[in-house]
Amino acid sequence: AQSVTQPDIHITVSEGASLELRCNYSYGATPYLFWYVQSPGQGLQLLLKYFSGDTLVQGIKGFEAEFKRSQSSFNLRKPSVHWSDAAEYFCAVAGTDSWGKLQFGAGTQVVVTP
Amino acid sequence: DAGITQSPRYKITETGRQVTLMCHQTWSHSYMFWYRQDLGHGLRLIYYSAAADITDKGEVPDGYVVSRSKTENFPLTLESATRSQTSVYFCASGLAGASNTGELFFGEGSRLTVL
């Protein structure tokens, strides 16, 4: 069965520092990979996605993620965090034959300190 | 207004009562989904629909019923609410096929408390 693991439940980072959120997946083949962000009281917004091709993908709000097949990972990064990046971040996967049926990780809560 | 809207945003009910959560989208997306969000579980798929009159079960469908008589609406009904169904429910929509970007668009959620 496919699964998504986000090892860090909670991360605190200083404004201006770099951020990396980890995501590992278990799936029979290379799935579609996504990162979503959820601000308090809001729905989820897509940050970026990987379908195929270049393993380094750029997203909105200055985020990027790198797909590493050998490690079954899809880690999210941002070089310099802004206070507005405080939110919960979800990694998700979907099989290439099950479009839209996302399997989500448990999420990582990011707190940004001054 | 364009987008995807859910109602009610907040609902408190009692065990055994029927509750319906509404979802409406204005994009004419073919696919619609219901997820529930619980602490420590992320979001889990309850039901989805590929088109009007086509629905299918997701990961956690027990205790829920859906229908899709019109493309733009996808109501979720809890026929006899239980405390374990206390959760935040998210509706999402997306466009498959040649215009598929893989992106789902989420509503703002409906927080349901079952006493």
Side-chain angles (χ1 to χ4, degrees):
Chain A
Q2 63 189 73
S3 65
V4 181
T5 302
Q6 292 181 245
D8 304 304
I9 297 173
H10 187 275
I11 285 180
T12 298
V13 60
S14 299
E15 191 168 14
S18 64
L19 175 68
E20 181 168 14
L21 304 182
R22 296 182 290 166
C23 174
N24 293 96
Y25 67 90
S26 174
Y27 197 73
T30 300
Y32 294 156
L33 297 158
F34 306 84
W35 275 100
Y36 280 83
V37 61
Q38 183 182 30
S39 298
Q42 300 296 312
L44 280 72
Q45 180 184 23
L46 181 68
L47 283 176
L48 47 77
K49 60 184 182 284
Y50 173 79
F51 283 4
S52 64
D54 193 346
T55 57
L56 185 63
V57 294
Q58 302 296 321
I60 62 172
K61 304 184 180 186
F63 284 91
E64 65 178 26
E66 185 172 13
F67 168 60
K68 292 186 177 180
R69 185 190 308 272
S70 61
Q71 299 177 18
S72 297
S73 69
F74 189 56
N75 294 347
L76 181 72
R77 298 192 292 256
K78 185 168 185 177
S80 178
V81 169
H82 186 262
W83 63 266
S84 61
D85 294 321
E88 188 151 24
Y89 293 80
F90 293 94
C91 181
V93 304
T96 55
D97 60 348
S98 56
W99 182 87
K101 293 169 64 178
L102 299 177
Q103 177 95 23
F104 283 87
T108 298
Q109 184 72 44
V110 173
V111 173
V112 180
T113 60
Chain B
D1 290 343
I4 184 165
T5 54
Q6 295 182 231
S7 62
R9 293 289 313 278
Y10 302 91
K11 176 74 175 179
I12 299 174
T13 191
E14 295 178 336
T15 301
R17 290 191 181 266
Q18 182 178 81
V19 176
T20 295
L21 306 180
M22 304 300 295
C23 180
H24 176 78
Q25 54 108 351
T26 60
W27 292 304
S28 298
H29 285 166
S30 53
Y31 276 81
M32 295 188 75
F33 306 82
W34 275 106
Y35 287 87
R36 61 177 288 174
Q37 182 178 27
D38 304 290
L39 196 63
H41 290 280
L43 281 79
R44 292 178 292 176
L45 181 63
I46 304 171
Y47 269 96
Y48 69 101
S49 169
D53 297 321
I54 300 175
T55 62
D56 206 349
K57 297 178 180 179
E59 180 184 356
V60 289
D62 293 343
Y64 302 96
V65 174
V66 294
S67 62
R68 194 157 177 216
S69 58
K70 294 183 178 181
T71 299
E72 61 267 29
N73 296 325
F74 191 40
L76 176 73
T77 297
L78 290 66
E79 293 191 307
S80 180
T82 65
R83 289 184 179 177
S84 64
Q85 293 177 310
T86 292
S87 187
V88 181
Y89 292 85
F90 285 97
C91 181
S93 71
L95 189 63
S99 302
N100 175 24
T101 65
E103 181 173 4
L104 295 189
F105 296 84
F106 284 81
E108 293 187 319
S110 294
R111 182 176 294 274
L112 176 67
T113 301
V114 183
L115 302 177

